[in-house]
Amino acid sequence: MGIKGLQGFVARVCPDACRTVDLREMAGKHRVDHPDFPPVIVVDAMSCVRYWYTPESWVCGGQWREYLANLEDFIKAFTAAGIQLVFYFDGVVEEKKRDEWIRRRLQNNKEIARIFQFIKTHRKQPGREMFVVPSALPTFTRFALKWLGQKTICTLEEADFEVAAYGLQHNCIGILGQDSDYLIYNTCPYFSIEKLCLDRLVTVMYSREDLCRALGLGLTHLPLFACLLGNDVVPESLLEGFWHKCLVTSPHKNSSYNRRTNILLAVANYISKIPCSYSGLKHLEEMLPLGSDKMLLYRGVESYLLPGQQSPWIPPNVTNCQTFSLQQQTALCQDKEIFQLAKEQHIRSENYTIFNILSNGEIECSNSLEDECDTEIPGQALIYRPARQHIYSVVLESGKGGAYPLVKEWFVYFGNPLQQPELVQPVQPFIPG
């Protein structure tokens, strides 16, 4: 989900790290340098939905043909340049990132409330400055891209990790998206979807090497740098005291910069002066108020290591633990054949949420465009719950052996504080036979 302020920091303070590039030219160079690898760009589709969905009248939705035409035009522009696209979609919300997912959903609730207040006050819909992506659009987009013949992958882990890994392992030209985590992973180049000029296939490439030069760091410092700024693993709330210490000792403080920019420079300066080793990491962990989870910083750094990569901050005998080897053992579905089929279909974007239910009995639904002040109409999450209960029963075969596993629902609707999942009982459908 990115590092707060890093993208803007690069644009303002490290302009050399923002290079305008011609993707056609890069594809041509790639063919010469790598004749055995076709030019491929891996697309973080969740970052691109806002770029693709552009209707002026968006509150009521319904512009499916227009949206489909935008996707077709997007694909045709790259195809004409001989560039293949691989689209990645989030398939899970990892437990370590659940708190951040909840925080963003509650923030979205406030934004949606402001939209309805604007409509009631002005009797018209707001402009794009208050835009909220329709809740089901990413799901529909997966099937639209498959229908258009594109390779579409739904992840088993956080999407940015799988995107970065795919880009590295398949020698891709680069990653197209809008997530500052792609500046941290040691992977192929990172291209901006926001800056993309489709008719010319020109965009901005963010350079990790130039960012490091501006910060006085090496590439191996970047994962620790991200963790000490606050990310999806290490909460910002634990770092305020550390930031203050860095600011006090930093020689780079600039009154013309905002506080966040000065924090980024001060943290980079601090990191550059400590031993680049596991003992250096342990010293930092002892400084931070990590509570009972003393391995938080360690896990944060490890989360940026792609398959086959190592870090001086982590002992060499420790390999990346991001694996699903225990998934089948803990799954609600103990039929290995069905479980494997659901997993394969999930990855190919041929079903939606079925694998998550079979693997850990958990499902989530993001914000819908609903007016929290209209108490006469319940949220869609509640309206469709009886249907979901029947679906859970069929998917989990609840009637066999009398076992009725509960399904954990993280559904966003007014009045649900999302402090814990709601435990929902599967219900057998009353259908003869």
Side-chain angles (χ1 to χ4, degrees):
M1 297 181 186
I3 297 94
K4 179 182 173 184
L6 181 58
Q7 198 94 37
F9 171 85
V10 173
R12 289 190 308 273
V13 183
C14 316
D16 290 344
C18 307
R19 306 177 188 173
T20 300
V21 293
D22 186 318
L23 297 178
R24 285 191 184 89
E25 291 180 2
M26 293 193 74
K29 186 176 184 303
H30 186 275
R31 290 187 192 93
V32 173
D33 295 342
H34 307 282
D36 297 330
F37 291 89
V40 174
I41 290 178
V42 56
V43 181
D44 181 346
M46 301 295 280
S47 297
C48 299
V49 169
R50 284 175 177 266
Y51 179 90
W52 295 326
Y53 189 72
T54 58
E56 288 298 317
S57 180
W58 55 268
V59 166
C60 296
Q63 303 89 351
W64 180 245
R65 289 184 182 178
E66 182 182 345
Y67 185 59
L68 202 59
N70 286 349
L71 293 177
E72 285 185 282
D73 291 342
F74 184 85
I75 293 164
K76 285 177 181 175
F78 285 91
T79 302
I83 299 172
Q84 297 178 20
L85 300 174
V86 176
F87 295 88
Y88 264 84
F89 287 85
D90 271 316
V92 298
V93 176
E94 292 187 352
E95 199 54 42
K96 64 186 179 184
K97 300 189 177 182
R98 177 65 68 186
D99 288 345
E100 178 64 16
W101 184 88
I102 291 170
R103 187 190 69 78
R104 295 192 182 202
R105 300 293 77 76
L106 295 176
Q107 179 60 38
N108 287 354
N109 276 346
K110 296 177 183 177
E111 294 169 4
I112 290 169
R114 285 196 290 269
I115 289 170
F116 279 100
Q117 186 57 47
F118 183 96
I119 292 171
K120 292 172 184 176
T121 303
H122 300 281
R123 303 299 182 192
K124 63 179 182 180
Q125 73 154 25
R128 292 283 293 192
E129 71 278 359
M130 295 180 76
F131 175 73
V132 172
V133 173
S135 58
L137 193 60
T139 306
F140 295 145
T141 305
R142 298 177 201 183
F143 294 109
L145 290 169
K146 287 186 71 66
W147 183 74
L148 292 168
Q150 299 303 294
K151 183 172 183 178
T152 307
I153 298 172
C154 191
T155 68
L156 295 171
E157 303 176 59
E158 190 71 26
D160 54 10
F161 177 86
E162 291 200 27
V163 167
Y166 187 95
L168 182 65
Q169 292 169 343
H170 293 82
N171 212 1
C172 294
I173 301 174
I175 293 165
L176 184 62
Q178 206 68 34
D179 187 331
S180 54
D181 271 335
Y182 296 128
L183 272 166
I184 306 301
Y185 288 107
N186 189 3
T187 181
C188 58
Y190 162 37
F191 306 130
S192 168
I193 182 65
E194 284 186 0
K195 304 294 184 182
L196 176 65
C197 178
L198 189 62
D199 58 344
R200 295 188 295 126
L201 280 189
V202 170
T203 187
V204 168
M205 180 180 77
Y206 297 103
S207 167
R208 296 178 199 94
E209 291 77 11
D210 286 332
L211 171 62
C212 285
R213 272 191 286 275
L215 294 173
L217 300 176
L219 288 174
T220 55
H221 287 102
L222 289 179
L224 181 60
F225 178 63
C227 292
L228 292 175
L229 291 172
N231 59 10
D232 299 331
V233 179
V234 184
E236 289 185 21
S237 58
L238 299 180
L239 298 167
E240 280 289 346
F242 172 72
W243 292 343
H244 178 73
K245 179 175 181 178
C246 292
L247 286 168
V248 168
T249 59
S250 174
H252 302 297
K253 280 186 290 188
N254 188 322
S255 59
S256 65
Y257 292 153
N258 62 27
R259 182 173 184 265
R260 185 63 179 177
T261 296
N262 278 314
I263 286 173
L264 267 74
L265 291 169
V267 168
N269 175 68
Y270 187 93
I271 293 173
S272 69
K273 291 177 169 52
I274 63 175
C276 191
S277 64
Y278 180 53
S279 61
L281 182 76
K282 294 301 293 181
H283 174 69
L284 279 168
E285 286 180 331
E286 290 166 6
M287 284 176 52
L288 298 174
L290 300 180
S292 58
D293 192 353
K294 297 300 183 185
M295 298 289 285
L296 197 62
L297 201 56
Y298 177 101
R299 288 193 288 106
V301 171
E302 187 189 42
S303 71
Y304 288 106
L305 291 185
L306 302 178
Q309 292 182 344
Q310 292 186 330
S311 167
W313 306 105
I314 292 176
N317 60 329
V318 178
T319 57
N320 196 320
C321 68
Q322 300 202 53
T323 177
F324 282 76
S325 59
L326 298 176
Q327 202 165 41
Q328 176 61 54
Q329 298 172 23
T330 59
L332 292 189
C333 173
Q334 291 301 309
D335 187 315
K336 293 185 178 180
E337 188 175 347
I338 291 176
F339 185 83
Q340 185 61 29
L341 178 62
K343 181 178 178 180
E344 291 170 0
Q345 290 184 345
H346 173 95
I347 293 169
R348 295 194 301 265
S349 299
E350 292 175 1
N351 65 38
Y352 179 62
T353 75
I354 300 296
F355 176 69
N356 292 341
I357 295 169
L358 292 176
S359 62
N360 59 11
E362 197 162 20
I363 182 174
E364 53 272 318
C365 179
S366 187
N367 308 75
S368 302
L369 204 60
E370 298 175 321
D371 184 2
E372 64 179 40
C373 296
D374 188 349
T375 55
E376 293 184 10
I377 304 176
Q380 60 85 15
L382 299 177
I383 291 174
Y384 291 107
R385 178 172 288 171
R388 293 197 303 276
Q389 288 178 283
H390 292 320
I391 293 169
Y392 300 153
S393 174
V394 173
V395 169
L396 296 170
E397 298 183 291
S398 302
K400 292 188 178 180
Y404 290 88
L406 298 173
V407 174
K408 293 175 283 187
E409 286 193 347
W410 295 93
F411 275 59
V412 182
Y413 60 89
F414 177 64
N416 182 8
L418 297 175
Q419 292 176 350
Q420 62 274 319
E422 295 178 282
L423 302 179
V424 177
Q425 179 75 57
V427 177
Q428 282 188 281
F430 302 105
I431 302 173

